[in-house]
Amino acid sequence: MNRITLDLEALRHNLDVVRGWVSNHGASLTVVTKALCGHRESILALRRLGVRSIADSRLRNLETVSRELRDTEIWYLRPPHHSAVPEIAVLAQVSLNSELETLRVLDEESRRLGKVHQAIIMIELGDLREGILPGSLVKFYKEVFDLKNVEVLGIGANLGCLSGSVPSVDQFMQLILYRELLELKFGKKLPLISAGSSVVLPLLLDGRLPKQINHFRVGESIFLGTDLVNGGVLDRLRNDAVTLEAEVIEIKEKGLVPLGETTDLSPFTPIETETPAPGQRGFRALIALGQLDTDVTGLTPVNPDYQIAGASSDITVVNIGDDSGGLKVGDTIQFRLAYSAFVRCMANRYTEKRVLPLPGDEKSLEEELESGNCRVPAVLSKVGGPAGSKHR
């Protein structure tokens, strides 16, 4: 049995710490939940932890959020695709946009629904993912400003999400100047500069992030504690909110060097390990988890003496040392997860998901899960069809 566990006590700690950082900066926080892959129990748990603004990039996940957390602000986290606009207009109050034609489609759909959709205009600042070029910003905003059912909530950027480049203070200063330019030219306030993310948190902690950056979209550091700039775990955060357990299906003493000629025939990226000495032997544990289940390169055994030796589609091999240490078949090995491993574990149907409740909260969470009637909204009568109400 393989299981991924979300520990709410550790998660609450991380949430409280990040909330404190963001609040002290005078900013607001939206929790990015795409790694949860719409897992209902985890979504309900976030409400218990006081989360009232959620962002996701999958419509099926947003359906769960909308169904379970009717009083939550919902952000659609990637530029909308036209075929999904009818669903996005129903499910999300805010979306990130970089295409004028898409905003026109959103405006038309929002008018049909009798609601106003809010948009963040994304600006390209060097990561080369989504965003309009700064030179076309004024013209772009003039066109959007004339739309009746789309309101520009602010501007934003994604930094460090594609190229891995570390955000700089100069990039954020550019955003601040762009907002000032638009506000002066059009005589309308733009409340948000949405450019905070997990990769920006080190700048925030160093006191170098400009105060005008007043909206954060954070997921990875809340769930995993990750410091995406310096490596390791951010100060005061915990890395044990998410744990993976995998069952041992074989344990034997074996040679640690394969016999015969080795090639690059494996369909998966080899895992970098320490090279054992010729003839070296040790105990190896096989676990019932492989590359079909997760990104094995993103797993770190909790026991520092263990080392992943390699993985196929169904099995991962773990070197556990010169003796078995009492580990036997049927036991489990625990792992910490990098973001890639976390996402793939939550997305696959082969791994059990469990939420470890807050102390004393076990019964109430179980009752809520069994009730099956957690705040079902009237908005989503049929995806893509007429909505049952204008606003949530």
Side-chain angles (χ1 to χ4, degrees):
M1 182 271 299
N2 300 325
R3 179 168 62 194
I4 187 166
T5 298
L6 186 65
D7 185 331
L8 292 195
E9 188 171 17
L11 183 60
R12 178 173 63 180
H13 171 86
N14 285 356
L15 260 171
D16 288 346
V17 171
V18 174
R19 282 171 176 150
W21 293 340
V22 171
S23 177
N24 290 339
H25 188 72
S28 56
L29 174 67
T30 294
V31 177
V32 176
T33 61
K34 56 186 175 182
L36 298 180
C37 300
H39 181 239
R40 178 173 176 254
E41 188 176 356
S42 299
I43 296 298
L44 284 170
L46 289 180
R47 183 176 68 193
R48 291 186 171 274
L49 298 179
V51 174
R52 293 295 179 265
S53 182
I54 281 178
D56 207 305
S57 55
R58 296 294 188 272
L59 292 169
R60 299 292 82 80
N61 299 349
L62 290 183
E63 285 181 6
T64 302
V65 175
S66 178
R67 181 174 63 248
E68 308 294 355
L69 312 182
R70 189 172 58 179
D71 55 349
T72 299
E73 177 185 71
I74 296 176
W75 289 53
Y76 186 69
L77 199 54
R78 64 180 172 187
H81 39 306
H82 286 198
S83 60
V85 163
E87 294 173 274
I88 293 168
V90 169
L91 293 169
Q93 290 93 0
V94 188
S95 61
L96 312 181
N97 288 269
S98 59
E99 287 288 347
L100 183 58
E101 185 55 39
T102 301
L103 282 163
R104 290 186 177 126
V105 176
L106 269 169
D107 179 66
E108 181 179 341
E109 185 63 27
S110 298
R111 178 178 54 81
R112 188 181 72 82
L113 294 172
K115 63 190 298 186
V116 173
H117 186 82
Q118 295 180 311
I120 298 290
I121 298 176
M122 300 298 285
I123 301 174
E124 170 56 53
L125 292 181
D127 196 51
L128 303 180
R129 209 178 78 163
E130 79 269 30
I132 65 173
L133 297 177
S136 61
L137 179 58
V138 171
K139 181 180 177 182
F140 187 97
Y141 182 68
K142 183 179 184 303
E143 296 284 346
V144 180
F145 187 67
D146 291 334
L147 299 177
K148 304 301 183 186
N149 291 81
V150 169
E151 176 190 7
V152 177
L153 187 59
I155 60 175
N158 266 316
L159 298 168
C161 292
L162 180 66
S163 65
S165 57
V166 178
S168 70
V169 174
D170 287 344
Q171 290 171 310
F172 295 114
M173 293 306 299
Q174 289 179 52
L175 276 180
I176 294 165
L177 291 174
Y178 295 146
R179 181 173 73 170
E180 291 177 356
L181 170 65
L182 293 177
E183 288 182 340
L184 287 171
K185 187 167 184 65
F186 294 96
K188 181 178 174 59
K189 290 292 184 181
L190 296 173
L192 295 186
I193 300 182
S194 179
S197 64
S198 291
V199 77
V200 178
L201 291 178
L203 271 179
L204 176 65
L205 295 182
D206 288 344
R208 294 190 291 140
L209 188 69
K211 281 287 187 182
Q212 293 91 333
I213 308 303
N214 62 0
H215 181 257
F216 285 74
R217 311 180 306 268
V218 179
E220 181 170 352
S221 291
I222 289 174
F223 289 106
L224 304 177
T226 316
D227 184 337
L228 290 172
V229 174
N230 306 300
V233 180
L234 282 167
D235 184 41
R236 294 180 56 205
L237 294 188
R238 295 172 59 169
N239 70 342
D240 59 344
V242 179
T243 304
L244 175 67
E245 298 173 81
E247 186 170 353
V248 176
I249 56 176
E250 176 189 299
I251 182 166
K252 287 181 171 60
E253 185 182 11
K254 298 183 179 183
L256 303 184
V257 180
L259 301 177
E261 182 181 356
T262 58
T263 68
D264 296 327
L265 289 177
S266 172
F268 303 106
T269 303
I271 296 171
E272 295 185 8
T273 61
E274 296 179 4
T275 303
Q280 184 177 353
R281 296 179 65 82
F283 278 84
R284 284 194 154 189
L286 274 60
I287 55 175
L289 175 139
Q291 299 283 14
L292 278 178
D293 305 286
T294 189
D295 175 11
V296 176
T297 63
L299 299 181
T300 301
V302 171
N303 188 326
D305 295 330
Y306 293 179
Q307 182 184 58
I308 294 176
S312 64
S313 56
D314 306 306
I315 291 172
T316 296
V317 179
V318 182
N319 290 337
I320 62 173
D322 295 333
D323 61 73
S324 66
L327 191 70
K328 59 185 183 299
V329 172
D331 290 343
T332 61
I333 295 177
Q334 293 188 329
F335 299 88
R336 301 281 178 250
L337 297 88
Y339 190 74
S340 60
F342 180 32
V343 170
R344 284 178 54 182
C345 267
M346 292 300 294
N348 81 58
R349 64 181 185 272
Y350 307 115
T351 303
E352 178 188 338
K353 286 84 176 175
R354 179 182 70 162
V355 173
L356 193 61
L358 295 169
D361 197 36
E362 294 87 349
K363 185 176 181 181
S364 56
L365 181 58
E366 183 178 348
E367 288 173 347
E368 188 168 15
L369 283 165
E370 290 177 351
S371 68
N373 57 359
C374 301
R375 302 191 181 198
V376 179
V379 177
L380 199 58
S381 57
K382 181 179 181 181
V383 173
S389 65
K390 295 181 180 180
H391 287 283
R392 288 195 293 275

